[in-house]
Each structure stands twice: as C-alpha cells, then as structure tokens.
Amino acid sequence: MASRTTRPGPATGTRDGSRRRRLPMRLLLPSLVLVALMAMLMLRGYVHSEILADHRVQPPAATDRVPEQILKGGPVIDTRSGRTTSLRVPDHRLVLTFDDGPDPVWTPRVLDVLKEHDAHAVFFVTGTMTSRYPDLVKRMVDEGHEVGLHTFNHPDLSYQSKQRIDWELSQNQLAISGAAGIRTSLFRPPYSSFAHAMDNKSWPVTDYIGARGYITVVNNTDSEDWQRPGVDEIIRRATPPDGKGAIVLMHDSGGDRSQTVAALDRFLPDLKAQGYEFDSLTEALDAPSAHTQVTGLDRWKGKAWVFLVQASERITDVLVVGLAVIGFLVISRFVLMLLLSSIHARRVRRRDFSWGPPVTEPVSVLVPAYNEAKCIENTVRSLMASEHPIEVVVVDDGSGDGTARIVEAMGLPNVRVVRQLNAGKPAALNRGLANARYDIVVMMDGDTVFEPATVRELVQPFGDPSVGAVAGNAKVGNRDSLIGAWQHIEYVMGFNLDRRMYDILRCMPTIPGAVGAFRRSALERVGGMSDDTLAEDTDITMAMHRDGWRVVYAENARAWTEAPETVQQLWSQRYRWSYGTMQAIWKHRKALVERGPSGRFGRVGLPLVSLFMVLAPLLAPLIDVFLLYGIVFGPTQKTIGAWLGVLAIQAVCAAYAFRLDRERMTHLISLPLQQILYRQLMYVVLLQSWITALTGGRLRWQKLRRTGVVEAPGGGVPRPRAPHDGADQRPVG
C-alpha cells in the first residue's frame, strides 16, 4: 500500500499564539450544500404558506368604535394623513376585483376574457402567489389593470401585531416590485366584506394601514363565486340594482374558477349593453393611478426576491424528483437483494450443489503489507491454521516499522518475505504474483485474519473452469464500538447481500481486498493489478468480467478485518473507495458499447454499480432533509410514516442478511441511528469524491492506524490495545 503523510488541516493563529483549526473543506462544502438546500426548502415553505401561515379568522365584534361615516360610507376607505373618508363608485361604473391570485390556470383565462371585452379590473394579489407567478402580475399591469396588496400570507390582520402587518405589506410590495416594477397604494384585507361589516377589531388595522399610505378597498357587491353557485347565480349576484356603481368581489384563485370565467364572458357584454363601463378603481374615481414606478435599489431587491423564489421552486422540484429517484432506487435495491440473495442462498446451500471437482492443490496466499507490525503476526498465524495447503508470500512494501523482520522472526514453514521499496498495493500484489508458485492465488490484507476453513472454501469455486475470481465474506472484527457496529451492519447487510445479488446477475463489481482469490492465468490475461485507480480491487474485478471470466461469491470463506475506529479514519477509507469506484467506472466505460462479455457487463453491471453505489448514496440525505422539513412544517404524520416505512424495509433486509450470515440480531438496535448519521457521512464522502473527480484532483492512498486486536472466532485471546502515544509509533528496526 502506498504511503501517505497525513498533513494537518489548515489552521489560523490566535491572540495567545495557539493554532486554531479551521473546518476542513470536505466538511464545510457539503455542510454549505445541505444548508443551502434547507434554505431553499424554507423559502419554498414560506411562499407556499407552510411557514408563518395563520389561518385564524376573527369572529364578528362590536362596532361602537368605528366612525359612522365608515359604517355608512362606500367601499373605498381613505385614512391617510389623518383623514377618515370613504368613497363610492359613480353610477354605471363597475370595478371588478379579483382576490387571492395570481393563479397559473385561472388568472390567464380571466385576463383573456377581460382583454376580449376591453375591460379593466383590479387584482388584489398575495405575495406568495406573486412571487411564484410574477409573469402574470406583469401581464396585469401591461394590459392596463391595477394591482393591489392582499398581504403576503393571507392572515387575518386583526390577530397580528403591527410588526407582522408591516412585514406582510412590505413583502407583498417587494414581490410586486420584482414582478412588475411598480408599487401600489391599494390594499384589501383578507377575509374582508362590506364597509358596514367593519368592527372594533378590523377598524384599528384599517386605520393603521391608512397611516402607512394605503387606501383600503372592500366591496359592496359580492358575487360569491367561491361557492360555485352556477353561472346564472354569479351574474345575478354581481349585478348592482338600478344602474348603481359598484365594486364587485370575484376570485381568480383558490380553487376551480371555471364558473367565474364563464360568468365573466356573459356578464361583461350584457352590462356593457346596459351602459356600464368596466374600469380600474382610479379610472372609475377619476383619480391618479395607484401605481408608481420602482427604480434603483428597490427594483433590484424585488428582482432578487423573485429570482430566489423561482430558484427555490425549481430546486425544490429537482429535490422532489431526486427524492422519488432515491426512493425508487432504495426500494428496487432492497427488493432485488431480498429476491436474488434468497435464490443464491438456496442454490449454493443445496446438498447436491457442487462447483465441480474438489480443489485440493496448494494455493499461494499473497499478503501485501505496509507498516503492519501490530497486525501481521495475527494474520500469518491465522494462515498457518488453514485446512488447505498453502504457501504464504508476504510482500513488505517499504515498511518502516519492522513488519518484514517480525514475519521472518516467526520462522514459519511455507512463509516467504519479499521486500520492495514503497510502490503501492497494486505493485506489491504484482510482485507477490511474480513470486507465487501455484496457479490459484488468494489475496488478503495485512490487517485481516482467516478462519481455518477460509482458504478451502474460497478456492472451491475454481472447480468450475469458467470461474476466474472469487469474492469471500469480509466481516468486521472490531464491532464493539458504535462505529464498528454500524460498519458491521453495513458489511453484513450491504456488501454481502449485494454480492449474492451481483453473483446471480453475473456482474460482481468488487472482489474485496481483504479476502479474494484469482486464477493466475486470468490475472495475467488482463495485465495483473493496475494502479490506474485507487480501487484496484474494483478495477481488476471489472477487467475480469470484460475478459469473459465469471466472478462468484463464496459465503463461507470468512475473513475478519479491522474496520476504521474513528470518523476521520472511516471518512478517509470511504473517500478512497468511492473515488476509486468512480475511477474504475470511468476507466471501463467503453464496456457500455462493446459486444460479448464486456458489453454484457457494461450494460448490466456498470449501470447497477453507478446507480446503487454512486448515485443512491449521494441522493440518500434527501430522505432526511424531507423528513426534517415534514416534521417541522407537515404533513408530520405522513412524513414520519413514510420514513418509518423505508426504515422497516431496511430492517427486514438487515434481519434477513443477519440470518443468512448467522449473526446475532442485537447489533441491529443501532440501525435507525445508523440510517440517520451514517448516511450523512456517506453523503460527505461522495460529494467530496465528485468534487475531486470534476476538478481533476488526484486522491492518494491514506494509511489507517491499526490496533491489531482482530482475531478469528475461536482464536487466541486478543491482545490489549496499545496506547496511542509516541512510543508505539517507533520503527522496530
């Protein structure tokens, strides 16, 4: 294994002279991406009235504090500059008003009818809908209609504080400014009615809003179109008596408005024939326009707001698609694993199952080792207990801790040490292959121990002459910590169920470096181990498939490996794995268009590996992002139910995998926590791997610190952990 000096992360000085570590970019960048996604979801929730929405409606109250001229006055209320006046629309003039829009379906149809009959109207738009559909508001203004504020989130303002009222108005104006480049002085309160319905709760709000420079517009003719009473009834209710002028309340949003559109198409020409004019409010009152142009910084603020809302809508749509994709991938993978792994287990466990004639000839076991002084003795002694005849070739890859001397000092028969300058794991394996005596070669890591039956079980599939490589069953030996338990679940559930599935599909992507076997002739045909990627085990496996060899899984060939014990070490390992897998996929991409065995692997194996090992883990955090969003903003019960459903499917798969491997179920207690926390770590790893790949960076091997505590079940008592201090880092010789 190629060495790498681990450099400390970036640090900055502090006043007391100490060094303050900065957050590594590998953590900072994914964290920023997650924060940005959550911010987009929050913004979407805000403009969809899922956040800060208040749907309470004030019941009627007393009216003794409402001025008489307001209660008996017209529907236009002006309390600006200390005035308390109301206005009515002149006779034979109708001001059609539409609330709660714009709506992407019904507002364009309303505008089309108004344009066809040369009529103007007033649209009281909400900030939420304006932010989402700014082009419709711009069309309103461009076609001569007036727009007015209807608050941002449509709350009953009599329940709100002055600060919240100001916020509702300013956000509503901001959205209109961004959409159409104007400000408006018209306002209609949500849930408003006629002027005589003003009471002691709503009047102070109207008075305050007037002080902020707005004219309040209620109505004196209600079509009640929201009830969908029928076209004839809408027309009857919207028609004022005796040629009176009126402000007519209609809606262009909030549900099916087909009756409203149909009623307008008859209402407009009929009343025009009776001498009515359909004007905007200021046209009907012969007053200056309610619109003023917005320029400069305010205009750009509005545009920025609309841009962010539109971005949040698009990003959220993409996230929803991503969630659907990851949901499909997760379910599909679990279904395939359960189905195909059960087929695999039944097939290889039949009493009459055989790979072919028993393989009894000796095999060569290659052990590449770089600074494995703590582990190498356990590794070699476990091989000496093998039930199958073997020779052991330990390739010391320039170790500085006396690894080679430890093996030589053991003085064991059939164990040879080959020394080389540090050149990396692929070079060490190729050196071992050149020194191997036998036609079947077993490869393992220097921190792994075999059971006595492992080599025998691993080489039996070579009784089938079409088999070129065999993957063993790698298991976590140090599972006593939480991180170790999580990796134990991952190895049993993910790796081994996956290998059963890929075995049936004949597209096994990886022979694990901890326990694998190869035909020497097959290795030589594909050029031996390559250092083109950081995942040489995945690279060689894909090369074997493309060369026409069958790669299978031997479930009883168990090897016990020491998994990383800290988050930093786990991150380093998985970063290398994921980046190396991407490199291998890219290296063998031509298999997609080739014929024969290579093409079959390219069109079956590569897509499955890309979907299940690269894309799915990258998208998996979306499950947790939407879980958090759903818990906070709803629908909470459905969200939790969906998440628990996915977890239940995972638990079933995990339990089945543990049963197949005859493992105790107690470790599955930590499965829910693993799914929440472990997924984020894998997301960080994969995102960094993508960034490294896209930027053309090159990740090198990173040596993990080992403790040497792993032994096969039934072996000797594990040695106590050595203290992590400077003393245990010194070379032996």
Side-chain angles (χ1 to χ4, degrees):
M1 287 174 272
S3 64
R4 179 184 177 184
T5 302
T6 304
R7 293 177 296 178
T12 56
T14 58
R15 291 182 179 181
D16 60 2
S18 63
R19 304 287 287 176
R20 178 169 56 86
R21 293 181 63 85
R22 294 184 298 186
L23 188 65
M25 182 59 68
R26 65 175 178 269
L27 298 178
L28 178 60
L29 188 57
S31 299
L32 290 176
V33 171
L34 277 179
V35 169
L37 293 181
M38 285 302 300
M40 290 292 100
L41 284 173
M42 295 283 286
L43 181 56
R44 182 190 181 277
Y46 178 52
V47 298
H48 281 256
S49 297
E50 295 170 350
I51 303 174
L52 297 180
D54 187 346
H55 302 294
R56 297 174 297 171
V57 180
Q58 192 77 252
T63 62
D64 56 290
R65 293 199 293 272
V66 183
E68 191 73 15
Q69 65 266 39
I70 297 299
L71 292 174
K72 294 183 178 181
V76 181
I77 302 171
D78 187 357
T79 60
R80 296 176 297 175
S81 303
R83 293 174 294 186
T84 303
T85 59
S86 65
L87 300 171
R88 297 181 185 274
V89 176
D91 292 347
H92 288 95
R93 285 196 169 185
L94 289 184
V95 178
L96 297 179
T97 63
F98 297 90
D99 283 9
D100 302 337
D103 180 274
V105 174
W106 301 111
T107 300
R109 298 185 187 182
V110 169
L111 288 170
D112 289 343
V113 174
L114 293 173
K115 185 175 183 179
E116 180 182 352
H117 297 289
D118 193 25
H120 290 162
V122 182
F123 290 84
F124 289 97
V125 297
T126 64
T128 59
M129 301 299 282
T130 299
S131 301
R132 293 162 60 188
Y133 308 109
D135 292 343
L136 291 176
V137 177
K138 186 175 187 304
R139 179 182 170 185
M140 295 171 187
V141 175
D142 290 345
E143 293 182 0
H145 307 291
E146 284 183 325
V147 296
L149 305 183
H150 201 44
T151 73
F152 193 87
N153 272 312
H154 204 272
D156 187 335
L157 295 182
S158 61
Y159 277 112
Q160 311 305 321
S161 65
K162 290 183 178 180
Q163 290 79 7
R164 175 64 184 271
I165 293 172
D166 289 342
W167 174 262
E168 291 285 338
L169 298 177
S170 63
Q171 286 296 106
N172 203 172
Q173 286 282 23
L174 182 67
I176 293 174
S177 298
I182 56 114
R183 289 178 58 87
T184 180
S185 59
L186 303 181
F187 171 76
R188 171 170 285 171
Y191 311 107
S192 62
S193 181
F194 299 158
H196 62 71
M198 196 76 64
D199 59 28
N200 293 346
K201 295 290 187 180
S202 57
W203 168 247
V205 174
T206 302
D207 191 33
Y208 176 74
I209 288 175
R212 306 296 293 173
Y214 295 97
I215 298 172
T216 297
V217 183
V218 289
N219 70 88
N220 57 2
T221 303
D222 190 352
S223 70
E224 299 184 37
D225 60 337
W226 59 273
Q227 295 183 348
R228 304 186 70 240
V231 173
D232 291 338
E233 186 62 18
I234 290 175
I235 293 174
R236 187 190 68 79
R237 294 174 182 177
T239 304
D242 304 324
K244 297 283 188 182
I247 293 180
V248 182
L249 173 61
M250 290 183 166
H251 297 81
D252 63 326
S253 185
D256 185 349
R257 296 293 172 244
S258 57
Q259 291 185 5
T260 302
V261 175
L264 277 175
D265 204 27
R266 285 172 46 189
F267 181 66
L268 289 170
D270 288 352
L271 266 71
K272 276 194 171 184
Q274 298 176 29
Y276 277 94
E277 296 179 13
F278 291 89
D279 299 320
S280 66
L281 180 65
T282 55
E283 288 172 340
L285 296 177
D286 295 323
S289 172
H291 295 168
T292 55
Q293 292 294 318
V294 175
T295 58
L297 182 60
D298 289 340
R299 174 66 168 144
W300 285 106
K301 285 181 180 178
K303 284 187 173 182
W305 169 259
V306 170
F307 172 81
L308 288 174
V309 171
Q310 297 296 302
S312 74
E313 293 283 319
R314 294 186 179 92
I315 290 174
T316 304
D317 290 342
V318 172
L319 292 181
V320 170
V321 172
L323 183 64
V325 170
I326 185 58
F328 175 78
L329 290 178
V330 168
I331 301 299
S332 299
R333 178 170 175 257
F334 287 155
V335 170
L336 281 174
M337 283 197 306
L338 285 174
L339 177 63
L340 298 182
S341 62
S342 64
I343 293 174
H344 181 274
R346 287 198 302 270
R347 187 184 69 182
V348 301
R349 292 180 180 183
R350 291 198 319 261
R351 290 186 178 181
D352 61 344
F353 175 79
S354 173
W355 292 102
V359 177
T360 58
E361 61 266 27
V363 301
S364 299
V365 180
L366 308 184
V367 186
Y370 171 73
N371 287 345
E372 300 287 3
K374 295 179 182 178
C375 308
I376 196 64
E377 185 174 349
N378 279 351
T379 299
V380 174
R381 289 196 183 281
S382 74
L383 293 173
M384 290 298 96
S386 174
E387 298 173 357
H388 193 90
I390 62 172
E391 69 154 349
V392 179
V393 180
V394 178
V395 182
D396 183 80
D397 188 37
S399 299
D401 63 350
T403 296
R405 295 179 60 186
I406 292 173
V407 177
E408 291 170 338
M410 294 171 70
L412 297 173
N414 296 322
V415 177
R416 288 182 288 144
V417 176
V418 177
R419 301 171 185 258
Q420 69 175 28
L421 296 176
N422 182 247
K425 185 178 180 181
L429 289 171
N430 287 331
R431 183 74 178 272
L433 184 63
N435 284 271
R437 296 191 178 105
Y438 302 113
D439 292 332
I440 295 177
V441 177
V442 172
M443 297 182 182
M444 66 183 299
D445 289 335
D447 57 1
T448 301
V449 295
F450 279 6
E451 295 179 5
T454 297
V455 174
R456 174 172 54 81
E457 294 287 345
L458 190 62
V459 300
Q460 293 311 306
F462 291 110
D464 181 346
S466 67
V467 173
V470 182
N473 187 349
K475 305 183 77 63
V476 175
N478 53 328
R479 59 182 74 172
D480 52 341
S481 66
L482 184 61
I483 292 180
W486 287 349
Q487 292 174 88
H488 174 48
I489 294 173
E490 181 185 28
Y491 273 58
V492 175
M493 174 187 171
F495 295 166
N496 292 330
L497 279 188
D498 270 347
R499 289 191 180 108
R500 295 176 193 273
M501 174 182 71
Y502 288 125
D503 190 341
I504 294 295
L505 296 174
R506 297 202 171 193
C507 58
M508 183 92 62
T510 304
I511 299 291
V515 53
F518 299 85
R519 287 190 191 276
R520 183 170 184 162
S521 58
L523 279 175
E524 290 172 348
R525 271 174 46 173
V526 298
M529 307 300 290
S530 170
D531 62 357
D532 291 341
T533 74
L534 289 173
E536 74 289 332
D537 44 8
T538 300
D539 186 4
I540 190 64
T541 308
M542 292 182 176
M544 299 284 281
H545 281 296
R546 296 182 66 188
D547 196 43
W549 292 100
R550 186 178 172 195
V551 181
V552 300
Y553 173 59
E555 62 175 350
N556 293 323
R558 289 181 288 269
W560 298 82
T561 187
E562 183 174 341
E565 294 199 328
T566 66
V567 172
Q568 173 64 39
Q569 290 182 346
L570 179 61
W571 183 92
S572 298
Q573 182 194 70
R574 299 312 166 88
Y575 188 12
R576 178 175 58 81
W577 284 5
S578 60
Y579 185 60
T581 299
M582 292 180 187
Q583 289 178 310
I585 292 171
W586 183 252
K587 176 180 176 179
H588 296 280
R589 65 191 182 278
K590 291 183 179 179
L592 288 167
V593 296
E594 292 176 342
R595 297 181 179 181
S598 180
R600 184 188 182 281
F601 174 74
R603 288 182 285 278
V604 177
L606 285 183
L608 288 178
V609 173
S610 301
L611 289 174
F612 292 153
M613 299 179 66
V614 178
L615 182 62
L618 186 65
L619 295 179
L622 289 179
I623 297 174
D624 304 307
V625 169
F626 278 95
L627 170 67
L628 180 61
Y629 184 87
I631 289 175
V632 176
F633 304 114
T636 303
Q637 293 182 342
K638 290 182 179 179
T639 300
I640 295 177
W643 188 84
L644 290 177
V646 174
L647 181 62
I649 296 174
Q650 290 175 312
V652 169
C653 284
Y656 180 66
F658 270 57
R659 181 175 174 273
L660 283 181
D661 264 22
R662 300 178 179 87
E663 292 283 354
R664 291 183 303 169
M665 299 289 179
T666 52
H667 285 101
L668 293 179
I669 295 174
S670 63
L671 179 63
L673 193 60
Q674 185 216 39
Q675 291 304 306
I676 294 175
L677 299 180
Y678 205 72
R679 197 154 41 212
Q680 313 318 317
L681 178 61
M682 294 302 102
Y683 157 75
V684 172
V685 167
L686 270 171
L687 186 60
Q688 279 298 104
S689 300
W690 273 106
I691 293 170
T692 303
L694 293 174
T695 57
R698 181 165 178 83
L699 179 66
R700 299 190 305 174
W701 191 279
Q702 202 164 19
K703 173 68 178 172
L704 301 181
R705 176 180 292 180
R706 301 300 186 185
T707 61
V709 299
V710 174
E711 293 197 6
V717 178
R719 300 178 181 181
R721 298 175 186 268
H724 295 297
D725 55 23
D728 72 340
Q729 303 294 319
R730 293 178 296 177
V732 174

